[in-house]
Amino acid sequence: MNDKILDLQKKMKKKLNEYRYEHTLGVMYTSAALAMRHGVDLEQALLAGLLHDCAKCYSDEKKFELCEKYGVELTEVERQNTALIHAKLGAVLAREKYEIDSEDVCQAIATHTTGAPAMKPLQQIVFIADYIEPHRDRARHLDEIRYEAFQNLDQACEMILSDTLNYLSDSPNTVDPMTQETYEYYHQKGETNNG
């Protein structure tokens, strides 16, 4: 691994709690494995995986303060469900604080929680890696999704989004409309490809 990634790894170890740091390493390595499998730039996958939760361990108050400072616009859903804020904020911090100049890396960080329609492969990889990394063990269909992630990124995204929406269906106010929109995109794409 290059010096930049090793340096950022040290910074993340100081910035994140132990659980979050272990999860971050899991996402970084899973992103790398998926990148190698699907022909995506390895260094970008490592960087996006390593920094995807760089804004996660701030207090809600600090997240709002940083969003204000960097001009991050939040939706009403994000204001109500502050766990969603770290993705958009993390993308900005990756650029501003950790000197990441790759728009693709920042975009992958920004969309790793809700996904987005028509994601680029790097975005899909970080979105999927966040869900399937080795420390994750509670999600339904995890084994099938892990298998599918190394076969078909679109299909793996659809499976994750479907499980996420089913899980959140008990409390609809926590569903970000982007998650629903992303699911519909990948579901329709799957039907088109299979039809």
Side-chain angles (χ1 to χ4, degrees):
M1 260 188 279
N2 68 33
D3 290 345
K4 182 175 190 170
I5 290 170
L6 291 171
D7 179 52
L8 286 170
Q9 222 172 305
K10 287 177 191 158
K11 288 178 177 169
M12 288 303 101
K13 189 165 188 174
K14 288 180 188 162
K15 188 60 77 181
L16 304 173
N17 64 40
E18 188 179 348
Y19 165 79
R20 186 62 46 194
Y21 181 68
E22 289 303 318
H23 162 71
T24 291
L25 293 182
V27 174
M28 180 178 80
Y29 289 122
T30 304
S31 293
L34 288 168
M36 288 187 278
R37 167 64 182 88
H38 294 288
V40 170
D41 185 280
L42 184 57
E43 184 177 344
Q44 289 198 338
L46 287 164
L47 284 170
L50 179 58
L51 293 175
H52 83 285
D53 272 354
C54 67
K56 184 86 173 180
C57 289
Y58 289 114
S59 67
D60 287 350
E61 189 181 354
K62 184 70 174 172
K63 284 179 194 162
F64 285 124
E65 187 186 307
L66 288 167
C67 285
E68 184 78 28
K69 176 181 176 181
Y70 291 113
V72 177
E73 290 184 29
L74 300 175
T75 64
E76 199 48 48
V77 174
E78 289 165 335
R79 288 183 182 285
Q80 289 171 10
N81 186 358
T82 55
L84 295 169
I85 295 173
H86 76 280
K88 275 185 186 174
L89 179 58
V92 173
L93 292 181
R95 196 179 298 113
E96 300 292 331
K97 188 173 179 178
Y98 300 111
E99 299 174 357
I100 302 299
D101 54 13
S102 164
E103 196 48 48
D104 287 344
V105 169
C106 294
Q107 204 174 35
I109 295 168
T111 57
H112 83 268
T113 50
T114 60
M119 288 186 280
K120 293 176 182 171
L122 180 63
Q123 288 174 280
Q124 291 181 297
I125 281 170
V126 178
F127 176 77
I128 293 166
D130 187 39
Y131 197 84
I132 69 166
E133 62 95 359
H135 298 93
R136 298 287 202 198
D137 60 4
R138 294 203 184 119
R140 292 175 62 211
H141 308 114
L142 197 53
D143 289 342
E144 298 96 313
I145 294 169
R146 281 178 171 146
Y147 174 82
E148 197 59 48
F150 288 88
Q151 312 305 316
N152 183 314
L153 293 174
D154 287 349
Q155 183 65 34
C157 285
E158 183 188 346
M159 291 167 79
I160 290 168
L161 290 155
S162 174
D163 276 6
T164 300
L165 289 169
N166 285 332
Y167 174 76
L168 294 174
S169 62
D170 296 336
S171 49
N173 62 331
T174 63
V175 177
D176 189 301
M178 184 57 75
T179 304
Q180 184 69 47
E181 205 179 308
T182 305
Y183 168 72
E184 286 164 13
Y185 173 87
Y186 284 102
H187 183 67
Q188 286 173 351
K189 190 173 182 186
E191 284 186 338
T192 304
N193 291 343
N194 296 330

